Amino acid sequence: MKYTFIYLAIFTSTMVVYFALLSLQESPTSNILGEWKEISWEYEKLDSILRKDNSFDYMVTDHIKEQISENLIIHKAETWKFTDDETLEMQGSETQKSLHWTLKGRGNILQIDGANLMEHYEIQELSSDRMVLHFNFDMQVRGIVKMTFEKINT
């Protein structure tokens, strides 16, 4: 009986500490709020596109970026602003869109809803000043495009 009480006390105290630490952690929703500037697009995985010097070209050129994003909501969006009411305002040099965003899963999937489109992006990294999104696209290169953002107003 004495050991049962000790095991129960240890288990209970471990759970209390675990949930206390969990409640202190910032949620992905609070981290994503704010204005983000697109920094780069890169290939995360490549089939076998080699340059002449046998190295990979990881950066996405403007032409390829244009082709990739042709049918996507993110087309020509350079600044993304996430608000509390789950509105996403995307601004580019020539375009401006207002969409709906939601975090799915364990906060690692960003869902963006447009007029007739729904897109999913995997949040690879999300901190108070940096966000990295991945999305799969099967076009010229089968792989993952990595989009990197930095927070404008922290």
Side-chain angles (χ1 to χ4, degrees), residues 13 23 52 59-60 69 85:
S13 60
S23 68
K52 292 179 183 175
M59 297 305 293
V60 177
S69 63
D85 61 351

Side-chain angles (χ1 to χ4, degrees), residues 24-88:
L24 295 175
Q25 186 178 11
E26 266 191 89
S27 72
T29 304
S30 63
N31 273 344
I32 203 168
L33 294 177
E35 199 166 352
W36 297 86
K37 178 160 180 57
E38 178 183 302
I39 301 301
S40 69
W41 281 44
E42 302 173 46
Y43 288 120
E44 188 71 9
K45 295 180 182 175
L46 301 171
D47 275 349
S48 61
I49 295 187
L50 292 176
R51 293 183 354 200
K52 292 179 183 175
D53 60 352
N54 289 335
S55 65
F56 289 108
D57 185 9
Y58 291 101
M59 297 305 293
V60 177
T61 64
D62 288 337
H63 175 70
I64 293 175
K65 179 180 172 183
E66 190 80 24
Q67 289 178 347
I68 289 172
S69 63
E70 186 174 340
N71 295 319
L72 298 176
I73 294 173
I74 60 171
H75 183 56
K76 296 183 180 179
E78 297 159 356
T79 305
W80 296 20
K81 183 177 181 183
F82 295 89
T83 60
D84 285 335
D85 61 351
E86 293 187 347
T87 301
L88 172 60

Side-chain angles (χ1 to χ4, degrees), residues 57-140:
D57 185 9
Y58 291 101
M59 297 305 293
V60 177
T61 64
D62 288 337
H63 175 70
I64 293 175
K65 179 180 172 183
E66 190 80 24
Q67 289 178 347
I68 289 172
S69 63
E70 186 174 340
N71 295 319
L72 298 176
I73 294 173
I74 60 171
H75 183 56
K76 296 183 180 179
E78 297 159 356
T79 305
W80 296 20
K81 183 177 181 183
F82 295 89
T83 60
D84 285 335
D85 61 351
E86 293 187 347
T87 301
L88 172 60
E89 297 172 9
M90 294 181 158
Q91 295 179 342
S93 57
E94 302 170 5
T95 60
Q96 183 173 350
K97 295 178 183 176
S98 184
L99 307 162
H100 179 264
W101 67 273
T102 310
L103 290 180
K104 298 287 185 178
R106 300 177 313 272
N108 63 332
I109 303 294
L110 173 63
Q111 177 180 309
I112 300 175
D113 300 319
N116 296 331
L117 299 171
M118 181 183 297
E119 296 173 4
H120 295 88
Y121 301 88
E122 183 178 345
I123 300 174
Q124 199 65 28
E125 177 184 337
L126 180 60
S127 65
S128 59
D129 61 344
R130 180 177 156 92
M131 175 171 60
V132 177
L133 301 178
H134 285 184
F135 70 95
N136 292 316
F137 200 82
D138 189 20
M139 198 173 116
Q140 296 171 350

